[in-house]
Amino acid sequence: MGNKIDELLNGSSGMTAEQIETLANHAGVGLFSMNIVTGEISMNRVIANLTGYELGEIPESMESREILTFEDDRVRVMHAMDSLFTGADNYQIEYRMRRRDGSIVSVYEGGMISEKDENGQPVRISAIALDLTRLKWAEDKARQMETENRRLATGQSESAFAEQNRMLRAANAAAAMIIGGFHEDYETVLHQALQLLAESVLADRAYIWRNRMIDGRLCSFRRVIWSRDPSFDFEEPLESEELEKCIPYDELLPEWETLIKQGYKRIRNEKEAGRTGMNTFDTKNQVKGSMILAIHLNGEFWGFVGFDDCSHDKRLFTDDEAEIMLSGILVIASSIARNETFQKLNEAREAAMASTKAKGEFLARMSHEIRTPMNAIIGMTTIAKRSSDPEKVRYCLDKVDVSSRQLLNIINDVLDMSKIDANKLEITPSPFDFEQMVQDVMSVVRVKLEEKSQHFRLDMDDTFTKKLVSDELRLTQVLINLLNNAMKFTPENGTITLQIKKTDAILRIAVTDTGIGVSPETQSKLFQSFEQADGSITRQYGGTGLGLAICKRIVDLMGGHIWIESVLGEGASFIFEIPVSWDEDIPTPMDGNGIRTGRAVPEVPAWQQKTVLLADDIEINSEIVESILEESGVGLVFAENGEQAVAAFRESPDIFDLILMDIQMPKLDGLGATRAIRALADEFPQAGDIPIIAMTANAFKEDEQQSLESGMNGHIAKPIEVDELFTVLRRYLD
């Protein structure tokens, strides 16, 4: 065997280094190699895991080797390695290693010189390492059991001693099987270990029940069972069925509290079982005696194990049997608990890896989705600059407008998703005209409908005579997202239907399309962040995969629920319901025929006698506001930072009717400038009353709150929407 290992380490086995490392990783064997000249160390994944580090986290130097070796064993390890330089062919040593978390593991290491220079001097040492922790633990357990064996043997008859010895050997063998059987199928090892214990006490059936707390009630499910009779009919629950198979202890073992106090319960016959209420005593399978042992792990009631005798009348298990069986069962229960932990960690790791993969795919989609409108904006701007044809310039500007709004929608989706992840997305209910909101939504999506020649149907079962109380902004966002989604996946000349139904307390909205539909297996993923049905969806239709996730979160925050009804190839319906309430009646302007006309188109205001102080450090922002307000005739005074704004107001407080204030500016920001102006109220009474409106790219809810707390009267987010700007200004200037 030693020669074969030498061949392996020397590379004379005919295997490549990569093949050797792969074999070692699969076999759980650690490999490491050290360059004697440079002190550089390389190792495989098994050794990295043994130390508690990820591969690549450990500095590859001799100092790392020394740090990882348990302090009391360092001299022995170095002496063993040094023996290679004094004529030894190889070294073998058992020592202790200190892991990253401070715990100690036992290690076997065997090494040899694997490379020499042209002068025959050693250049490299290679070694294998094995984790001996489980073996050492089993040896300790065996010694403890042997000590207990000798204690029990004192004053016992030869037959009693032989019986105890048989059970102790079985418990020891079961423990060794559980500890050393990690290369076998885990469930097979569990059954075999339980079988060893059961047969040692001449039981015909054994079972382990695992506890779970469900809705405040202590319950248990059958985790593993063994039966001597192969025809015995039982079915162990799948992991997904565990909760369904759980039985409350009040029904399973009415005397379970007594079981916990005593540690075990022995049942001699069917009548005794009936008196104690032990419902696990299975008369239909001719059980003649049972022993039930409570299992405690880490100070908690973990579950119980039962042994049934179907062969011997009035069988009463002994105290020795209970004590020895419990020692073996504790090893099995500890293994099950550890395996459950490993499964949870593995599931969490797989979920994290899936999330990382989804986010990576999302970033790739985001790059595509951002660059597409940016390409249109840059390209159409270049064409417009080179063209002298007014119609072509207007065409280019229209495309720039559409692309820039598309880019803004992407940015808003990403920002909303970040707020959702941080639990900062808030719902702010207020009364609004729902029908007018629907009209506004339709004006947003109408251009895209016309581009694809899609047909639109509005199915509203009643007029809305009262204002709806909900979050208008977020409800608008959900509607636009669902309609955009429907338009994206519906072909040209397809039909999209917006159906709206209401009751006194519920608003139900359905967006139905005649598009590609969604298969059942992918429907569950549609409302998850960063997800789309599959990669081909992104390539063919585009999209970030955030829209539906945002819709679901908003609807959830509103106290409602959203779902999909779809058949692949036959279109889809996205439906949501939210609780609502109703406010005052809506003023309904009528035309000459008594038909509701909706919101009147506002006229351009006449503000020739008004003056606004505009503070913004970005020149193009000031130019945009100046151009928007040009027809209104309002006078504008410009400031490039907060200090200039405060100085301009202090110099002429009487001439200003309103201040538009950017937030992020050099020298003094907008919040500081607002506080400074409000602080002038004792000197200039106008400072306490003049309307100050934030006009900023800081668009989060907390940004708006900061603006109001600093003394501002309102908040307008950039990019500036013309209608919103005029609506706010009318509130203070008209």
Side-chain angles (χ1 to χ4, degrees):
M1 179 67 178
N3 290 336
K4 295 297 182 183
I5 293 177
D6 291 349
E7 290 178 8
L8 192 64
L9 294 177
N10 275 318
S12 59
S13 62
M15 299 175 67
T16 66
E18 184 178 355
Q19 288 173 329
I20 293 173
E21 183 171 357
T22 301
L23 176 63
N25 285 336
H26 284 302
V29 175
L31 294 178
F32 83 90
S33 175
M34 184 182 73
N35 187 306
I36 300 170
V37 179
T38 64
E40 180 183 357
I41 292 177
S42 60
M43 63 190 70
N44 69 340
R45 174 169 46 82
V46 174
I47 290 188
N49 293 341
L50 188 62
T51 64
Y53 290 86
E54 292 292 333
L55 192 60
E57 286 185 335
I58 309 173
E60 297 180 341
S61 64
M62 192 60 189
E63 288 76 12
S64 297
R65 170 64 188 261
E66 184 176 349
I67 292 171
L68 291 171
T69 303
F70 186 64
E71 295 85 347
D72 294 346
D73 295 344
R74 288 174 183 170
V75 174
R76 288 196 307 110
V77 171
M78 296 308 298
H79 180 72
M81 296 183 68
D82 288 343
S83 67
L84 296 177
F85 304 105
T86 57
D89 294 330
N90 59 69
Y91 70 88
Q92 299 183 40
I93 186 172
E94 292 183 13
Y95 65 97
R96 290 163 293 179
M97 180 183 290
R98 186 178 294 281
R99 304 181 80 245
R100 183 180 194 172
D101 59 6
S103 61
I104 304 297
V105 293
S106 297
V107 178
Y108 162 82
E109 184 179 307
M112 58 175 292
I113 294 173
S114 58
E115 183 182 345
K116 296 181 180 180
D117 62 16
E118 61 274 9
N119 299 319
Q121 296 299 312
V123 174
R124 184 174 300 278
I125 295 175
S126 296
I128 63 171
L130 299 173
D131 182 3
L132 300 180
T133 307
R134 294 181 181 181
L135 183 59
K136 292 290 185 183
W137 186 90
E139 289 176 351
D140 290 342
K141 277 293 180 184
R143 281 193 292 270
Q144 292 172 13
M145 288 181 177
E146 183 152 353
T147 301
E148 181 67 9
N149 191 353
R150 292 195 187 97
R151 183 187 69 79
L152 292 172
T154 305
Q156 297 289 320
S157 66
E158 186 174 341
S159 61
F161 172 75
E163 183 179 346
Q164 292 167 351
N165 195 34
R166 182 186 72 249
M167 290 187 294
L168 285 169
R169 286 200 305 270
N172 187 25
M177 181 177 293
I178 284 290
I179 296 165
F182 52 89
H183 293 305
E184 307 291 336
D185 176 71
Y186 183 71
E187 297 300 320
T188 300
V189 172
L190 274 184
H191 280 84
Q192 291 173 345
L194 187 59
Q195 178 182 351
L196 280 174
L197 294 177
E199 289 180 339
S200 73
V201 291
L202 305 180
D204 296 291
R205 186 168 69 235
Y207 38 82
I208 297 175
W209 287 67
R210 176 75 168 95
N211 291 349
R212 288 281 188 269
M213 188 67 71
I214 302 177
D215 297 332
R217 299 181 70 187
L218 185 62
C219 304
S220 196
F221 71 93
R222 191 173 60 199
R223 174 63 181 82
V224 59
I225 187 169
W226 167 83
S227 175
R228 189 186 302 275
D229 182 1
S231 65
F232 176 67
D233 184 24
F234 64 88
E235 182 179 354
E236 293 176 8
L238 299 173
E239 186 176 352
S240 59
E241 298 174 336
E242 286 181 2
L243 296 182
E244 299 175 10
K245 300 287 186 179
C246 274
I247 303 174
Y249 263 92
D250 295 338
E251 303 172 13
L252 181 68
L253 288 172
E255 291 191 355
W256 64 274
E257 292 180 349
T258 303
L259 173 66
I260 294 176
K261 292 177 183 177
Q262 294 180 348
Y264 63 92
K265 185 73 176 178
R266 294 171 294 164
I267 304 170
R268 186 191 305 270
N269 53 40
E270 182 180 343
K271 290 183 179 179
E272 186 175 338
R275 288 197 303 272
T276 59
M278 295 293 186
N279 294 330
T280 57
F281 196 92
D282 193 352
T283 57
K284 73 176 184 178
N285 287 294
Q286 300 177 338
V287 177
K288 303 182 185 302
S290 285
M291 175 171 63
I292 300 173
L293 309 174
I295 302 173
H296 291 83
L297 287 182
N298 302 319
E300 295 184 357
F301 181 33
W302 183 90
F304 68 91
V305 60
F307 296 92
D308 293 343
D309 188 334
C310 304
S311 305
H312 305 88
D313 288 334
K314 299 182 180 180
R315 164 75 182 276
L316 187 64
F317 288 87
T318 67
D319 291 343
D320 284 346
E321 288 172 328
E323 184 177 352
I324 296 173
M325 288 303 98
L326 187 58
S327 67
I329 284 297
L330 283 174
V331 177
I332 296 177
S334 298
S335 172
I336 293 174
R338 185 176 65 248
N339 192 62
E340 289 172 353
T341 301
F342 287 160
Q343 285 181 339
K344 290 177 182 177
L345 290 173
N346 191 50
E347 289 169 1
R349 175 177 171 273
E350 290 180 355
M353 291 176 64
S355 176
T356 300
K357 180 182 177 183
K359 289 179 180 179
E361 293 173 350
F362 163 74
L363 289 175
R365 290 199 300 269
M366 282 302 304
S367 176
H368 174 269
E369 291 300 309
I370 290 174
R371 289 174 183 274
T372 298
M374 281 301 299
N375 179 64
I377 292 169
I378 295 171
M380 287 297 173
T381 302
T382 302
I383 294 171
K385 287 166 64 177
R386 293 177 177 176
S387 177
S388 57
D389 182 357
E391 287 299 320
K392 190 168 187 179
V393 170
R394 184 175 183 83
Y395 171 82
C396 291
L397 292 177
D398 286 341
K399 293 297 182 183
V400 168
D401 179 63
V402 171
S403 297
S404 59
R405 292 179 184 277
Q406 180 184 354
L407 185 59
L408 179 61
N409 288 335
I410 294 171
I411 294 171
N412 286 336
D413 278 352
V414 174
L415 295 178
D416 280 339
M417 203 66 236
S418 69
K419 286 191 285 185
I420 287 172
D421 286 343
N423 291 320
K424 290 185 177 180
L425 191 69
E426 298 179 357
I427 299 299
T428 308
S430 61
F432 65 95
D433 184 340
F434 178 78
E435 284 192 34
Q436 184 60 54
M437 185 210 76
V438 173
Q439 292 181 30
D440 293 342
V441 167
M442 292 313 305
S443 67
V444 172
V445 302
R446 185 171 289 112
V447 173
K448 191 175 291 186
L449 283 167
E450 292 173 352
E451 284 179 356
K452 296 186 71 173
S453 301
Q454 292 170 335
H455 307 288
F456 179 80
R457 290 179 58 248
L458 176 60
D459 180 7
M460 191 180 303
D461 65 351
D462 195 6
T463 57
F464 287 68
T465 58
K466 293 181 178 294
K467 289 186 176 180
L468 179 71
V469 179
S470 187
D471 190 320
E472 181 179 8
L473 175 63
R474 295 304 178 187
L475 192 53
T476 298
Q477 187 176 2
V478 172
L479 271 178
I480 290 177
N481 271 342
L482 292 181
L483 288 169
N484 280 336
N485 189 72
M487 289 185 291
K488 184 195 314 183
F489 296 111
T490 300
E492 291 187 3
N493 297 311
T495 301
I496 296 167
T497 302
L498 174 60
Q499 183 185 63
I500 301 170
K501 295 182 179 295
K502 66 179 176 69
T503 65
D504 290 340
I506 297 293
L507 178 67
R508 186 181 193 272
I509 296 178
V511 176
T512 303
D513 62 63
T514 57
I516 62 175
V518 184
S519 64
E521 57 270 19
T522 57
Q523 289 182 18
S524 60
K525 297 195 302 181
L526 289 180
F527 295 106
Q528 297 176 11
S529 305
F530 317 116
E531 291 285 356
Q532 287 191 329
D534 57 57
S536 63
I537 294 295
T538 303
R539 292 189 294 271
Q540 185 173 356
Y541 297 98
T544 62
L546 292 178
L548 292 177
I550 292 171
C551 288
K552 184 178 188 322
R553 184 58 178 157
I554 292 173
V555 171
D556 287 346
L557 288 173
M558 289 180 166
H561 64 288
I562 185 170
W563 69 96
I564 177 177
E565 296 176 0
S566 177
V567 176
L568 188 62
E570 298 181 12
S573 291
F574 286 88
I575 308 160
F576 69 92
E577 293 180 347
I578 56 171
V580 294
S581 58
W582 306 94
D583 199 71
E584 62 186 13
D585 290 340
I586 301 172
T588 53
M590 303 289 183
D591 62 13
N593 298 317
I595 299 174
R596 184 178 175 186
T597 59
R599 188 180 299 166
V601 178
E603 297 179 355
V604 176
W607 291 332
Q608 287 83 0
Q609 305 302 316
K610 306 291 183 179
T611 302
V612 172
L613 173 59
L614 173 59
D616 198 312
D617 60 317
I618 306 298
E619 184 178 356
I620 191 171
N621 291 340
S622 299
E623 290 180 8
I624 290 171
V625 174
E626 183 179 19
S627 177
I628 292 172
L629 297 178
E630 185 176 9
E631 292 186 36
S632 71
V634 69
L636 289 174
V637 175
F638 299 97
E640 295 181 357
N641 55 61
E643 286 185 357
Q644 289 185 12
V646 175
F649 179 83
R650 180 190 287 273
E651 183 178 341
S652 306
D654 294 329
I655 70 170
F656 297 113
D657 298 285
L658 183 140
I659 300 174
L660 290 173
M661 185 80 74
D662 186 22
I663 298 296
Q664 293 190 7
M665 294 185 292
K667 296 186 178 180
L668 182 64
D669 65 21
L671 301 177
T674 299
R675 285 190 283 265
I677 290 173
R678 296 303 187 200
L680 298 174
D682 293 339
E683 185 178 354
F684 305 106
Q686 303 91 327
D689 300 326
I690 186 168
I692 304 178
I693 308 299
M695 191 172 63
T696 173
N698 295 7
F700 287 138
K701 189 72 177 178
E702 54 266 31
D703 298 321
E704 182 177 353
Q705 186 63 33
Q706 285 182 349
S707 300
L708 298 177
E709 290 174 354
S710 73
M712 295 186 181
N713 301 84
H715 187 101
I716 298 174
K718 297 175 182 175
I720 298 169
E721 290 287 347
V722 176
D723 290 345
E724 182 185 7
L725 177 61
F726 275 111
T727 298
V728 173
L729 295 185
R730 277 194 175 92
R731 194 177 303 154
Y732 299 101
L733 297 182
D734 282 352

